Amino acid sequence: MVPLSYLLRFIEEDAPFGDVTSEAVVPEGINAKAVIIAKGEGVIAGVEEAKALFEHFGVKVEVRKHDGERVGKGDAILELEGDARSILLVERTALNVMGRMSGIATEVRRLVDKVKAVNPKVRVAGTRKTLLKPLDKRAILIGGGEPHRFSLSDAILIKDNHLALVPLEEAIRRAKAFSVYKVVEVEVESLEDAIKAAKAGADVVMLDNMSPVEIAGTIEALKREGLRDRVKIEVSGGITPENIEEYARLDIDVISLGYLTHSVKNFDVSLEIIGKV
């Protein structure tokens, strides 16, 4: 679960000086029952995070659907009972967290299913194209995907701007010397650089913005050089839900898509007050 301390920042941002509407309108001491329901079909995520937020403010929570479960329109996800003001204070933050995480998990699951049907060995991964990393990375995992690097501290990924400053082979040599514990990945855009990276000792070669035909040719070249088994092959750039199966049919290991976190559609969830207790 994402740490509670991280989640509470959203409450502090949403109600820096309290929930003035609820404090003005709802009498103190009223207890209520409420339910959070799904407004569509998908994979639910963020349940544990929402539960932790409500429980932090003294609300009793009954989980009806767990993270990773498929839900249908109208399904109850959480049942709540407690101080009405507290329920209303947490409502929008909890729904925002669940909506975003469920949207990501749903799309990840959809793409994982499409890819696995074509090539069971290929994994689907997200990227660092997000500012809500703890939530988004966990949502990717719930959906069955790979989160990729969590931060710049996790692994070494040599990109085009690094290579604009340091030659490819030297960059890999320096990276390998830096730490024996860090995976070294290199982003390349040509067959020639892919071979150079594999020969220089890269652990992962990312073929970026290359067509399926170009990728297939690059992999064949790596095989001829006896290099394919030395490296993991990741492909990224220009990959969409519509063409992902074309890439999945290739002899690759990972498909990464930034859109899973920067453009995914929110999943609609709603909180309804059932009545007073």
Side-chain angles (χ1 to χ4, degrees), residues 47-149:
V47 173
E48 288 301 315
E49 285 72 18
K51 179 175 182 287
L53 278 171
F54 280 113
E55 288 182 340
H56 177 77
F57 288 94
V59 177
K60 182 182 177 181
V61 180
E62 193 74 33
V63 176
R64 295 302 182 197
K65 294 289 183 179
H66 294 85
D67 286 321
E69 287 191 53
R70 292 191 180 276
V71 297
K73 185 176 181 180
D75 283 352
I77 302 165
L78 295 176
E79 294 181 358
L80 312 170
E81 183 177 331
D83 179 71
R85 287 186 178 182
S86 296
I87 291 173
L88 295 171
L89 172 69
V90 177
E91 174 184 2
R92 178 41 54 194
T93 297
L95 295 179
N96 285 349
V97 167
M98 292 177 67
R100 179 170 178 83
M101 290 182 69
S102 298
I104 292 170
T106 297
E107 186 64 3
V108 170
R109 182 75 57 83
R110 183 171 81 92
L111 296 190
V112 167
D113 288 346
K114 289 182 75 169
V115 166
K116 295 298 183 186
V118 173
N119 190 343
K121 79 164 191 167
V122 176
R123 301 189 180 193
V124 175
T127 72
R128 286 178 52 253
K129 293 179 180 178
T130 171
L131 287 176
L132 299 173
K133 280 180 279 190
L135 298 176
D136 291 356
K137 296 294 190 181
R138 180 164 142 73
I140 290 170
L141 285 167
I142 290 171
E146 291 279 339
H148 216 289
R149 292 187 299 169

Side-chain angles (χ1 to χ4, degrees), residues 3 99 107 136 146 148 178 187 191-192 200 207 210 213 226 268:
E107 186 64 3
D136 291 356
E146 291 279 339
H148 216 289
F178 181 79
E187 177 186 279
L191 181 156
E192 293 76 18
L207 305 180
M210 296 173 68
V213 172
D268 196 6

Side-chain angles (χ1 to χ4, degrees), residues 158-164 166-172 185-208 210 214 217-219 221-222 225 227 231-233:
I158 301 168
K159 298 173 69 68
D160 56 351
N161 282 334
H162 300 107
L163 298 177
V166 182
L168 189 149
E169 291 95 339
E170 181 185 346
I172 295 173
E185 180 171 2
V186 185
E187 177 186 279
V188 302
E189 296 185 353
S190 70
L191 181 156
E192 293 76 18
D193 282 347
I195 291 175
K196 285 182 183 178
K199 285 183 175 179
D203 300 299
V204 183
V205 175
M206 179 195 290
L207 305 180
D208 190 41
M210 296 173 68
E214 291 171 323
T218 299
I219 292 170
L222 288 169
E225 297 281 341
L227 299 170
V231 295
K232 296 287 187 184
I233 299 294

